[in-house]
Amino acid sequence: MHFTGRTWRPPYEAHSVIIQATSGCTYRKCRFCSLYKDACFRMAPMEEFEEDLAEIKSCQPSARRIFWTGANPFAMRYENLKLRALTVRDYLIKCRTMAMFASIRDIRDKEVWQLKKLRAMGINGLSIGTESGDDDTLALADKGYTAADILEQCRKLDEAGIEYYFVYMTGLAGRGNGYRNAVNSAKLFSRLNPYYISVDSLTLFPDTELYRMEREGGFIPAREKERLRELQVFIQNLQIRTHLFADSVSNFYPVTAYLPKERDSVIGELQYIMDTVSEEEMREYRRNLKSLG
């Protein structure tokens, strides 16, 4: 198998077969991220892609779901996505769905009819690192799009019938701004249909722009209990049925919930942690995080 650098997949893709479709990121400007800082975007050559499919076929010929790795393989043009999706079906006749990371920016250049075609070919499961639905927070993080862009592009996915998943990041708005970020993000997400919402908590690493801003006084990180309160507010204001996963290593206390059914219980769990664990213990946990993988 051809893999370049670190290979990432969401926790909910744990049972998917993995193949490299791209490496690197087309954007590399998010101020909190250094995962792909020194890696130029590259599409896996079709020869390599087919070699990997042949290897998968020899080991797992009955694979039902394939996850294409890379920061945002959905950045590929429609014709390239179409070619690769059809090639997957040639090798793995029982494959039903293909999933991958995507950015809101990657959806802009695709018409609804193209998205419908891709859905018919099996592309169904876009993990989108929205991080927020609040314009001030999106600008601070330099995400390259606005809340209105999220709404417009994801409604195209809804119309095409493509399943998608959001990421929300507590602490990203900075100290004192978590409540605003949580309310505005929840309001926006509630106008859409994310099947999953994965929650991370901002962790600053030395090779990121936000880390430099913090050192120079241009960014003040949220305290740990403020982040848990932000997550409570976010959950309280979500008005959709969705699966929420706040169980990555970046979260001091991992929780999962099916909303709205488990809303009150998970909010209660978070409150118990805030009432019984000190701020310093939570801060020590984050200081000891060396990576998120």
Side-chain angles (χ1 to χ4, degrees):
M1 299 294 289
H2 298 85
F3 289 111
T4 304
R6 287 183 174 181
T7 300
W8 296 86
R9 58 117 179 102
Y12 43 80
E13 297 290 352
H15 300 292
S16 302
V17 175
I18 296 175
I19 188 170
Q20 180 168 283
T22 64
S23 56
C25 176
T26 58
Y27 189 63
R28 295 188 295 168
K29 295 180 182 178
C30 296
R31 290 191 171 121
F32 57 86
C33 180
S34 62
L35 290 178
Y36 307 97
K37 187 175 182 180
D38 299 319
C40 294
F41 181 80
R42 172 183 179 268
M43 291 187 292
M46 280 302 298
E47 181 180 356
E48 289 184 5
F49 194 69
E50 290 202 52
E51 287 176 3
D52 289 349
L53 285 172
E55 187 171 343
I56 293 170
K57 182 179 180 180
S58 68
C59 300
Q60 295 180 274
S62 298
R64 297 297 184 94
R65 185 172 175 90
I66 308 293
F67 185 81
W68 300 9
T69 66
N72 56 327
F74 205 66
M76 289 188 282
R77 294 183 182 276
Y78 165 74
E79 291 297 339
N80 204 331
L81 288 166
K82 174 183 174 181
L83 173 62
R84 290 170 190 264
L86 293 175
T87 304
V88 169
R89 306 302 285 270
D90 286 342
Y91 281 85
L92 303 169
I93 60 174
K94 293 188 178 181
C95 179
R96 293 185 176 181
T97 55
M98 289 158 262
M100 67 196 74
F101 287 118
S103 166
I104 293 298
R105 296 178 301 274
D106 303 335
I107 308 167
R108 287 174 178 162
D109 66 345
K110 296 172 179 70
E111 302 293 334
V112 172
W113 71 265
Q114 294 175 320
L115 295 171
K116 288 181 177 179
K117 291 279 191 181
L118 294 173
R119 172 64 182 87
M121 295 170 206
I123 292 180
N124 188 35
L126 301 182
S127 292
I128 305 174
T130 45
E131 267 71 64
S132 172
D134 172 67
D135 278 333
D136 288 341
T137 306
L138 291 168
L140 172 63
D142 196 11
K143 289 298 296 182
Y145 50 77
T146 65
D149 293 326
I150 296 173
L151 187 65
E152 179 183 3
Q153 300 309 319
C154 289
R155 281 184 168 168
K156 287 164 59 177
L157 297 180
D158 285 336
E159 186 176 349
I162 292 179
E163 192 175 278
Y164 56 92
Y165 325 119
F166 283 164
V167 176
Y168 179 76
M169 185 175 287
T170 62
L172 185 59
R175 188 172 300 177
N177 299 314
Y179 182 88
R180 184 203 71 224
N181 186 30
V183 170
N184 288 341
S185 297
K187 285 182 178 178
L188 177 70
F189 290 4
S190 295
R191 298 174 68 184
L192 294 163
N193 297 286
Y195 189 74
Y196 298 135
I197 297 177
S198 179
V199 179
D200 293 323
S201 190
L202 176 68
T203 305
L204 296 177
F205 293 110
D207 49 356
T208 62
E209 177 67 13
L210 213 53
Y211 178 90
R212 182 193 64 78
M213 291 170 62
E214 188 267 338
R215 290 285 167 155
E216 296 176 359
F219 177 75
I220 303 176
R223 295 185 175 92
E224 295 298 323
K225 290 194 177 184
E226 181 183 353
R227 296 164 189 242
L228 292 180
R229 177 57 182 155
E230 178 183 347
L231 180 54
Q232 282 184 316
V233 173
F234 178 66
I235 292 170
Q236 186 65 55
N237 283 273
L238 278 172
Q239 301 299 318
I240 50 174
R241 294 187 182 277
T242 191
H243 300 262
L244 182 131
F245 298 92
D247 57 353
S248 70
V249 69
S250 68
N251 295 282
F252 173 79
Y253 180 72
V255 294
T256 62
Y258 179 64
L259 301 177
K261 182 179 180 180
E262 298 172 332
R263 187 196 314 277
D264 292 342
S265 63
V266 74
I267 287 176
E269 280 187 61
L270 293 168
Q271 188 62 50
Y272 177 79
I273 296 302
M274 286 192 286
D275 292 342
T276 59
V277 181
S278 70
E279 175 74 23
E280 181 53 35
E281 184 177 342
M282 296 182 190
R283 289 179 62 190
E284 183 65 18
Y285 173 83
R286 192 160 310 282
R287 280 196 294 265
N288 289 330
L289 285 177
K290 303 305 180 186
S291 73
L292 301 181

